[in-house]
Amino acid sequence: MTPATAAHPAAAVVGHPDGRRTALLQTALRKAGRAPARVVPWTDVLSGTARFRPGELVRLDSPGQDPLADRLLRGTADPTRVEGGARWYRGFLDAVQHVADGVRAAGGTLLADPGELAVLFDKRLCHAGLAAAGVPVPPSPTSGPGAPPVRGWPDLRALLARPGLRRVFAKPAHGSSASGVLAVESGTGGRVRATTSVELTPSGALHNSLRVRRYEDERTVGALVDALAPDGLHIERWLPKASQHGRAADLRVVATAGRATHAVVRTSAGPLTNLHLGGSRGDLAAVREALAAAPGAGWPGLLAVAEGAAAVFPGTPCVGVDVLPAVHWRRFAVAEVNAFGDLLPGLTGFEGGPAEGLDTYAAQVASPPWNPGALRAPHRGRASAALAGARP
């Protein structure tokens, strides 16, 4: 086992001691000949008892896999409840700042930027930041801090009447893993339909479910929106996507130290492609062939879009970028950037990429600042030039 040195300082991870993310990181460190990371539980951070050591390299991981941490952040003992996103957001940012202050006081290095996390975990701010940087994104009437809020169903009903917004995604501003997301369609005669994994109980509570369902009664759709709105909603135009074998397709591209390293194709018969909601992994080789045959920016352009999105958050060493390919694979847009988007067990870096053969955690351990000098980010001009030809 390689001892901690100036080149490879001792590491700590703020995470769930028994979680998959922590296990994958420890495996990556072991395979790299590195000492295991000291685990600082999120519950210690939230209780104010977490302490950090001099010179430590501190990684922040998701608190989502720790039921107790989630309960403390969300304020409910039921992990399936959708509500509580705004409270979670405030508590999470407070906890991140506590970690940042503790690491700084100890003379360590935090592998996260609290300000960037505040943007990444507010979809309205993230969308505005991407758009300002020239990253192609779906049109949105709620982008940025100055946009009028969606206070309930009447507000969303009015937005659906605007040109180009007949079909939208309504997303909880602070949600993740498609929690609370509604794919809303409006039709002639005032008809509406919402596709979602949310289950509305008789009491009016919202619960996450692994079963995607459709609601076609406006009263029910309105009740869903009214229940979600107090925590904040972000609205985006529903862009038609490319398909693979008759199924809608998009991609999660992981960018490590600014470079696109991993990509997984997600396909679905419906609008929600998340793998835990019945989506399935598609054929990346077939996507690359389709991109090569299509007029447009191709595979390099898709990677440039993902790297352009990652460049907006230079203080976040690894992000998962959700890329929406347009019909016929000609252009791309970024739906979301995920601060904890690297949990893709068994996925290795794509062929010809800078992390070929490495999983997402091994790629991070091989990158700066874990391993200075390796996997340096590309020059931003390359990404900017390709982005200019990739906008939808």
Side-chain angles (χ1 to χ4, degrees):
M1 192 73 69
T2 302
T5 65
H8 299 296
V13 57
V14 178
H16 181 25
D18 299 320
R20 284 192 299 168
R21 293 175 179 273
T22 300
L24 288 166
L25 174 65
Q26 302 290 35
T27 297
L29 288 168
R30 176 177 52 80
K31 289 183 176 179
R34 302 274 294 273
R38 186 174 68 90
V39 181
V40 180
W42 269 108
T43 49
D44 286 2
V45 174
L46 295 170
S47 67
T49 60
R51 298 293 180 267
F52 299 94
R53 298 174 181 173
E56 277 187 323
L57 193 67
V58 180
R59 169 189 169 88
L60 275 184
D61 222 327
S62 172
Q65 291 186 332
D66 187 331
L68 179 55
D70 189 69
R71 184 193 314 172
L72 293 171
L73 288 167
R74 197 172 296 277
T76 175
D78 187 344
T80 70
R81 287 293 292 270
V82 177
E83 302 97 314
R87 172 175 170 156
W88 182 98
Y89 179 69
R90 292 190 299 269
F92 174 70
L93 294 186
D94 286 345
V96 169
Q97 191 59 55
H98 177 76
V99 172
D101 292 343
V103 172
R104 185 183 307 111
T109 300
L110 178 62
L111 300 180
D113 182 297
E116 289 184 6
L117 289 175
V119 174
L120 285 163
F121 280 97
D122 188 322
K123 298 183 194 302
R124 300 160 299 190
L125 300 180
C126 185
H127 185 282
L130 294 170
V135 178
V137 288
S140 168
T142 58
S143 182
V150 175
R151 295 175 294 255
W153 175 240
D155 287 349
L156 181 54
R157 198 49 157 130
L159 290 177
L160 291 170
R162 291 187 184 181
L165 292 179
R166 185 179 64 84
R167 303 169 79 231
V168 302
F169 279 93
K171 304 176 179 181
H174 312 299
S176 61
S177 302
S179 174
V181 172
L182 308 175
V184 184
E185 303 169 81
S186 61
T188 57
R191 291 177 299 147
V192 295
R193 177 169 65 188
T195 304
T196 180
S197 63
V198 174
E199 179 182 0
L200 179 65
T201 66
S203 69
L206 306 184
H207 292 265
N208 284 310
S209 167
L210 294 180
R211 182 171 73 85
V212 176
R213 63 199 74 208
R214 287 180 174 176
Y215 297 101
E216 299 187 350
D217 171 59
E218 181 171 351
R219 188 172 176 181
T220 303
V221 175
L224 289 171
V225 174
D226 287 343
L228 291 168
D231 279 326
L233 280 174
H234 177 57
I235 311 301
E236 290 181 349
R237 181 190 293 176
W238 178 345
L239 299 179
K241 293 191 290 190
S243 63
Q244 188 173 89
H245 306 305
R247 294 164 60 88
D250 60 22
L251 294 96
R252 163 67 60 85
V253 179
V254 176
T256 308
R259 299 196 63 185
T261 53
H262 299 73
V264 60
V265 185
R266 308 181 300 186
T267 72
S268 173
L272 303 178
T273 58
N274 300 72
L275 299 178
H276 71 285
L277 295 179
S280 59
R281 290 193 182 188
D283 186 341
L284 183 61
V287 166
R288 295 181 69 162
E289 290 177 5
L291 288 169
W299 176 247
L302 186 151
L303 298 184
V305 165
E307 290 180 352
V312 178
F313 305 98
T316 307
C318 183
V319 293
V321 183
D322 291 344
V323 179
L324 308 176
V327 175
H328 305 308
W329 303 96
R330 292 179 178 176
R331 298 182 186 275
F332 319 101
V334 171
E336 296 188 18
V337 181
N338 305 272
F340 302 128
D342 54 1
L343 184 60
L344 295 165
L347 181 71
T348 55
F350 52 77
E351 183 179 355
E356 185 174 355
L358 301 177
D359 69 18
T360 57
Y361 287 82
Q364 290 173 72
V365 170
S367 73
W370 293 86
N371 187 17
L375 279 177
R376 294 198 179 277
H379 189 274
R380 292 193 185 196
R382 182 172 72 86
S384 300
L387 282 171
R391 294 190 180 94

